[in-house]
Amino acid sequence: MNLIPQTTLAPGFSISKIIKGGWQLSQGHRASLKSDPVEDMIAFAEAGITTFDCADIYTGVEELIGKFLKAWRLKHGNLGGIRILTKFVPDYDILETIDKKYVERIIDRSLRRLGQERLDMVQFSWWNYQAHRYIETAEWLKELQKAGKIELLSGTNFNTQATKEIIDAGITLSSMQLQYSVLDDRPEQSMAKLCAEKNFYMLCYGTMAGGFLSSRWLGQTEPLPPFENRSLVKYKLMIDTCGGWDWFQSLLETLDAISKKHMVSISQVAGRFVLDKQGVGG
């Protein structure tokens, strides 16, 4: 029985509310993997976590998920409720000169890598708002959606103002992926309100702070670089910004007390904190 709750992003399109992230399968992390990532993905899907997040810039991950989809079909006959959420992240240097041919070429590349006839979802990202062509680029993605290459359009890491501009330009977004955790509550400032007004969901990453929000770090002395992967580099900076290591230990102690009361883990408490927030779809 599938006990993982689902979120309906659009008619006929549901995702598992817990999503298997793909960043840590990229080549910058993969050396630390201790098991077969394809077999791991099959295990996640069979446990009800049927939604997988990746990106065109996560080196090797779309190809890896393509292998998973092929293996899943061989084992189960069809994909069922499996959903793959990829991203379109144009190169920083091309933002001022980007054109539809470039956009379509990257989308076609993702289709080949994943072995799909239509991408389930494309989450659009943009590096620099001073390059104003993000609305025009979103319109090209909408054209590719109408052509049948994309099922749902979404965004990732856009601020509230730019998100509103895209929606007001007639682009329907099913979700916005952003960082949200007990360390980072910025989405509560304005994005959650826009979600309610414009009828889309937030899909959240960083909820475990790259593994820092776990019992592994409770009572530990402050770690020093070099760190074993890019996630720890990123989220250690977040901890430093929020209040430092002593403050973080106090937070872990609070989460630990809550986790013991409910007989769950610190990570589960941190995840539930985000899942229960207004506008969060996964």
Side-chain angles (χ1 to χ4, degrees):
M1 181 183 295
N2 181 3
L3 298 178
I4 305 298
Q6 300 269 312
T7 297
T8 299
L9 298 182
F13 193 109
S14 295
I15 62 170
S16 56
K17 210 166 183 182
I18 300 173
I19 299 169
K20 175 71 173 70
W23 185 40
Q24 294 196 26
L25 295 176
S26 64
Q27 288 185 358
H29 290 90
R30 204 179 299 172
S32 63
L33 295 180
K34 297 179 175 62
S35 57
D36 180 353
V38 171
E39 290 299 321
D40 285 347
M41 283 186 269
I42 290 173
F44 270 90
E46 290 178 340
I49 298 174
T50 53
T51 304
F52 299 81
D53 177 83
C54 61
D56 57 343
I57 62 168
Y58 296 173
T59 307
V61 177
E62 284 184 327
E63 294 94 333
L64 201 57
I65 291 179
K67 292 178 181 179
F68 153 68
L69 293 176
K70 184 176 181 180
W72 181 270
R73 289 189 190 97
L74 287 173
K75 186 173 183 179
H76 294 278
N78 59 72
L79 292 181
I82 302 291
R83 293 293 188 181
I84 309 301
L85 318 181
T86 194
K87 301 180 187 71
F88 169 73
V89 188
D91 292 339
Y92 186 96
D93 293 339
I94 205 172
L95 298 184
E96 295 283 5
T97 58
I98 193 169
D99 57 24
K100 184 181 176 181
K101 287 184 178 180
Y102 173 90
V103 176
E104 187 166 18
R105 178 168 60 83
I106 300 303
I107 294 302
D108 286 345
R109 186 180 66 183
S110 291
L111 285 166
R112 291 193 303 272
R113 288 172 170 178
L114 289 165
Q116 292 183 308
E117 295 181 359
R118 179 174 63 178
L119 298 175
D120 293 333
M121 179 192 288
V122 171
Q123 301 167 105
F124 171 39
S125 181
W126 197 257
W127 297 103
N128 179 12
Y129 297 128
Q130 299 304 311
H132 295 289
R133 304 190 70 182
Y134 50 89
I135 293 177
E136 190 175 8
T137 303
E139 289 171 343
W140 290 326
L141 288 168
K142 182 179 178 179
E143 291 177 18
L144 294 173
Q145 183 184 33
K146 288 182 178 179
K149 294 190 176 187
I150 301 167
E151 187 163 354
L152 293 186
L153 280 180
S154 294
T156 183
N157 289 331
F158 276 91
N159 65 25
T160 305
Q161 179 59 38
T163 301
K164 186 176 186 301
E165 290 175 17
I166 292 170
I167 294 172
D168 289 346
I171 311 297
T172 298
L173 298 179
S174 61
S175 60
M176 179 59 64
Q177 188 188 69
L178 36 67
Q179 185 171 289
Y180 200 174
S181 71
V182 296
L183 295 173
D184 185 0
D185 63 358
R186 287 175 295 172
E188 297 176 16
Q189 296 173 15
S190 58
M191 186 64 80
K193 181 180 179 181
L194 186 65
C195 284
E197 291 176 353
K198 301 297 185 180
N199 193 32
F200 66 96
Y201 285 97
M202 292 182 286
L203 302 183
C204 307
Y205 67 87
T207 56
M208 307 302 167
F212 275 116
L213 290 170
S214 68
S215 59
R216 172 187 175 187
W217 295 100
L218 179 62
Q220 298 298 309
T221 57
E222 183 172 5
L224 299 174
F227 297 106
E228 62 186 85
N229 60 54
R230 290 179 293 170
S231 288
L232 294 180
V233 173
K234 175 180 179 177
Y235 293 109
K236 178 56 169 60
L237 287 173
M238 176 64 66
I239 291 168
D240 294 343
T241 301
C242 288
W245 194 252
D246 289 342
W247 170 87
F248 178 64
Q249 285 299 308
S250 178
L251 173 63
L252 284 183
E253 289 169 4
T254 300
L255 294 176
D256 185 52
I258 297 169
S259 72
K260 288 176 178 175
K261 178 180 178 181
H262 295 280
M263 294 184 290
V264 296
S265 69
I266 288 175
S267 296
Q268 285 174 297
V269 174
R272 176 55 60 186
F273 173 87
V274 176
L275 284 170
D276 284 348
K277 291 294 185 176
Q278 177 186 0
V280 172

